[in-house]
Amino acid sequence: MFDHDVLIIGAGLAGMRAALAAQTNGVDVAVVSKVHPVRSHSNAAQGGINAALTDRGDDWRDHAYDTIKGSDYLGDQDAISVMCQEAGQEVISMEHMGVIFSRDDQGRLGTRAFGGQRQARTFFVADFTGQALLHVLHEQVLKAGVRVYEEWFILSLIVEEGECAGAVVMEMRSGDVHVIRAKAVIMASGGLGRVFEPSTNALICTGDGIALGYRAGAPLMDQEMVQYHPTTLKGSGVLITEGARGEGAYLLNSEGDRFMKTYAPNMMELASRDVVSRSEQTEIDAGRGIDGCVLLDCRHLGEQVIREKLSQILEIARDFAGVDIRKEPIPIQPGMHYQMGGIKTDVNGLTAVPGLYAAGECACVSVHGGNRLGANSLLDTLVFGRRSGQHASDQVKQKSFASVTDASADSDLANIRRLLKNDDGGEMFGRVRQELGQTMDKHLAVYRNQQGMEEALAKVRELKERYRQVRVQDKGKTFNTNLIFTLELGYMLDCAETIAMSALERKESRGAHTRTDMPDRDDENWLKHVLVKATPDGPQIEPLPVVITDWEPQARVY
């Protein structure tokens, strides 16, 4: 058994920012990650990070308003205000740590325009901003001496007398299961993108932490709000950054028409993501697509802009689609990208389970509401990762360890033995996982309706029954990825069930939740969050009012 004051699950931007804040505050910190830290999915964030700097004539209130409007008024305005007020200092702090942001002709930090914002306030490092931030934070975490359990997989959270007291984890190299006792646990495990197929998310994004927080008693909030990014590469679902449109790329249909003028005449391609995704899908459904896609045209941007600011997209389009974006447009379509919902927290990362915090995409503060603005995700990870680390480290200084023993791992060990003993005639995880992803993409994508969502929920529950009989062909202990993928599938199925249930509960269209059978936003009845709680009798739904401070809901047009 290992002991640490603060245990952080996940080594992406939220996890490492939390680790750095907690370690700096003078407590013993450890990070558990199922991959090497710089392979975390934060690495894939391309476009940039938002902040309103006063020396640019910008104001945090304008950033807050754009975020609130983008959320379709489902975001909690107190939390959004905290994020936007602290954004500028967070960006400057990252630059001081060593992030080499792109600069303008005067040598100042450069900005680009991003969707749903009236001002260019997105700071960036070409088109690999997440990677740049992640590597610098990793250097800082190493410098600070934080213990990192690299390639260790979390099996469960330990809850003793109603408080989170650590975690049960598996060392993937040996297959050994260990108990890590902690005075506070910060869940920073990322999103659940691979519940859907295809997705822009890495294969590791399987909702582990969301499901484990849920199983431990923390409610999930706004799980129905699943963001489909407007520009994902045909077939593979690989992300084509919004930074391309920020630099001036156009969307075209099969007739060569720049169709966004019909749907968002003021903001065009830089309307909010849900608006652009719906517009694209409408064009495709109307027969103005090309083999289920529309086109993203970068040709007019010129060789220099593409090479200096969109170099990764140049390579991605060439390698995955055989397209040279300097000479031809890219076939793109809406694709699952981000989960706005997650473990409900306050602005310090606290969940309903004492001792358990959450930050980043696995958490719902709620600053994204029904639709996240591009480049607010990196900001969310850093601001609330830092706040969680600071708050948790303050609290544990006056706290003693709970009486946890190695017996806390018994149920997880029994579950692993059960999976390994399943009848060799049963199916493996891959078939179940593929059916799950295709079902979710079919019925809970850009457009939804009652019948489709009911079919999805029924299918998920069928898959949960089949999962009980899934067999693990590899019986070994060393890097048993067959076992790991099977355990991940269990987390994915829990997440999928909460998404389908929450979507069926919301009887309106708002943000990313667009129902063809209920096309209007209903502020009178549905200006509220949807919470899902795990109970002995199954998942239970309850509402929670949205926090409104200075900005009353208005018609949302771009």
Side-chain angles (χ1 to χ4, degrees):
M1 186 166 68
F2 303 92
D3 287 346
H4 297 284
D5 292 331
V6 177
L7 177 65
I8 296 162
I9 312 297
L13 287 177
M16 287 204 283
R17 190 68 186 91
L20 190 60
Q23 186 86 353
T24 303
N25 202 16
V27 301
D28 177 45
V29 180
V31 177
V32 169
S33 176
K34 67 180 179 182
V35 295
H36 185 277
V38 297
R39 291 189 62 233
S40 301
H41 190 59
S42 301
N43 194 53
Q46 297 168 345
I49 179 170
N50 291 329
L53 297 186
T54 53
D55 66 351
R56 303 299 175 87
D58 204 354
D59 188 280
W60 74 263
R61 292 180 180 276
D62 293 333
H63 182 193
Y65 170 72
D66 288 343
T67 299
I68 291 160
K69 179 181 175 182
S71 80
D72 216 349
Y73 295 91
L74 189 65
D76 285 337
Q77 296 181 15
D78 55 347
I80 290 171
S81 294
V82 167
M83 181 179 75
C84 295
Q85 284 182 71
E86 297 184 5
Q89 185 54 53
E90 198 62 44
V91 169
I92 298 302
S93 294
M94 292 306 301
E95 196 216 10
H96 289 174
M97 287 182 200
V99 177
I100 304 173
F101 287 101
S102 297
R103 294 183 175 271
D104 61 21
D105 293 339
Q106 285 75 46
R108 303 186 307 168
L109 295 180
T111 56
R112 61 169 43 131
F114 248 56
Q117 301 183 78
R118 297 161 298 161
Q119 179 149 335
R121 60 171 65 94
T122 303
F123 298 88
F124 63 98
V125 184
D127 56 353
F128 51 88
T129 311
Q131 182 180 27
L133 292 167
L134 192 68
H135 278 259
V136 165
L137 264 182
H138 185 228
E139 293 166 358
Q140 295 298 318
V141 164
L142 291 175
K143 180 181 176 182
V146 174
R147 172 72 185 271
V148 178
Y149 295 93
E150 181 184 313
E151 295 183 328
W152 287 47
F153 184 79
I154 182 165
L155 299 171
S156 66
L157 293 172
I158 299 168
V159 179
E160 291 286 340
E161 299 182 357
E163 290 199 22
C164 188
V168 180
V169 294
M170 177 194 293
E171 184 181 16
M172 294 162 68
R173 181 175 59 182
S174 65
D176 294 337
V177 173
H178 300 278
V179 170
I180 302 180
R181 190 168 61 163
K183 299 174 184 177
V185 175
I186 302 176
M187 189 62 71
S189 56
L192 49 69
R194 284 297 162 178
V195 170
F196 291 71
E197 289 294 342
S199 169
T200 65
N201 287 199
L203 292 174
I204 60 174
C205 297
T206 49
D208 308 5
I210 296 173
L212 289 171
Y214 173 64
R215 294 176 186 179
L220 306 183
M221 188 163 80
D222 298 340
Q223 283 288 93
E224 73 277 15
M225 295 302 179
V226 178
Q227 182 167 82
Y228 268 61
H229 195 287
T231 55
T232 76
L233 201 57
K234 175 187 174 183
S236 64
V238 174
L239 178 65
I240 302 298
T241 177
E242 190 167 321
R245 285 173 286 136
E247 297 297 336
Y250 303 150
L251 290 171
L252 302 173
N253 61 19
S254 61
E255 300 168 2
D257 179 35
R258 193 176 169 188
F259 57 86
M260 284 307 301
K261 65 179 182 294
T262 303
Y263 304 98
N266 295 322
M267 299 290 284
M268 298 287 282
E269 285 85 2
L270 291 176
S272 64
R273 287 178 173 176
D274 61 320
V275 171
V276 180
S277 289
R278 282 194 295 274
S279 304
E280 291 176 354
Q281 195 62 53
T282 299
E283 290 292 304
I284 293 166
D285 293 346
R288 293 187 292 273
I290 302 169
D291 193 21
C293 298
V294 292
L295 300 175
L296 179 68
D297 194 352
C298 301
R299 292 173 292 183
H300 58 283
L301 300 180
E303 177 95 15
Q304 183 175 353
V305 168
I306 289 172
R307 286 202 171 277
E308 289 182 0
K309 297 183 178 181
L310 301 172
S311 58
Q312 191 175 81
I313 299 310
L314 177 64
E315 295 176 4
I316 287 172
R318 181 192 64 210
D319 295 344
F320 289 91
V323 170
D324 184 343
I325 68 173
R326 298 167 298 182
K327 299 176 181 177
E328 53 191 323
I330 315 169
I332 55 93
Q333 58 194 151
M336 191 285 170
H337 179 60
Y338 188 88
Q339 170 66 317
M340 272 82 71
I343 302 168
K344 185 195 178 317
T345 75
D346 67 9
V347 295
N348 292 314
L350 279 165
T351 73
V353 178
L356 178 62
Y357 295 73
E361 192 174 351
C362 71
C364 184
V365 184
S366 130
V367 289
H368 306 308
N371 171 74
R372 175 178 66 77
L373 292 187
N376 267 357
S377 58
L378 294 182
L379 179 60
D380 171 15
T381 62
L382 295 178
V383 168
F384 294 107
R386 171 178 49 77
R387 291 178 70 92
S388 298
Q390 288 173 340
H391 196 277
S393 55
D394 282 339
Q395 295 301 305
V396 301
K397 289 177 180 178
Q398 310 302 323
K399 194 174 178 181
S400 58
F401 285 103
S403 55
V404 173
T405 68
D406 287 330
S408 298
D410 287 352
S411 61
D412 292 298
L413 288 166
N415 183 51
I416 290 170
R417 285 194 293 268
R418 179 187 65 80
L419 287 170
L420 292 173
K421 288 180 180 178
N422 272 352
D423 182 5
D424 282 348
E427 60 189 331
M428 290 180 64
F429 75 92
R431 185 188 303 275
V432 178
R433 180 164 168 168
Q434 183 179 40
E435 288 185 34
L436 171 66
Q438 291 173 345
T439 297
M440 299 297 283
D441 186 59
K442 180 179 180 181
H443 296 301
L444 287 152
V446 176
Y447 287 109
R448 307 167 174 186
N449 60 55
Q450 184 78 14
Q451 180 181 347
M453 293 187 291
E454 288 175 350
E455 287 180 20
L457 182 57
K459 182 66 174 180
V460 169
R461 287 176 171 166
E462 175 208 318
L463 294 174
K464 290 189 80 167
E465 286 302 310
R466 285 165 54 186
Y467 174 71
R468 296 174 60 83
Q469 304 305 319
V470 165
R471 67 185 175 94
V472 178
Q473 191 170 19
D474 183 354
K475 311 299 183 183
K477 294 189 71 176
T478 303
F479 281 111
N480 188 342
T481 52
N482 190 176
L483 174 60
I484 296 294
F485 296 159
T486 303
L487 292 167
E488 287 176 335
L489 177 58
Y491 302 146
M492 296 166 75
L493 287 163
D494 278 359
C495 290
E497 183 177 37
T498 64
I499 291 169
M501 288 186 66
S502 299
L504 281 164
E505 179 72 10
R506 186 171 289 281
K507 305 294 194 293
E508 64 160 355
S509 288
R510 184 183 297 270
H513 178 70
T514 304
R515 297 184 57 149
T516 55
D517 54 347
M518 298 178 184
D520 297 324
R521 193 179 85 187
D522 181 1
D523 288 344
E524 183 177 349
N525 297 303
W526 285 100
L527 192 61
K528 55 189 175 185
H529 302 292
V530 175
L531 268 64
V532 190
K533 293 182 178 179
T535 76
D537 299 321
Q540 299 293 319
I541 298 276
E542 64 180 58
L544 182 73
V546 175
V547 177
I548 305 291
T549 56
D550 298 334
W551 295 274
E552 290 297 323
Q554 301 173 1
R556 184 167 169 259
V557 293
Y558 289 99

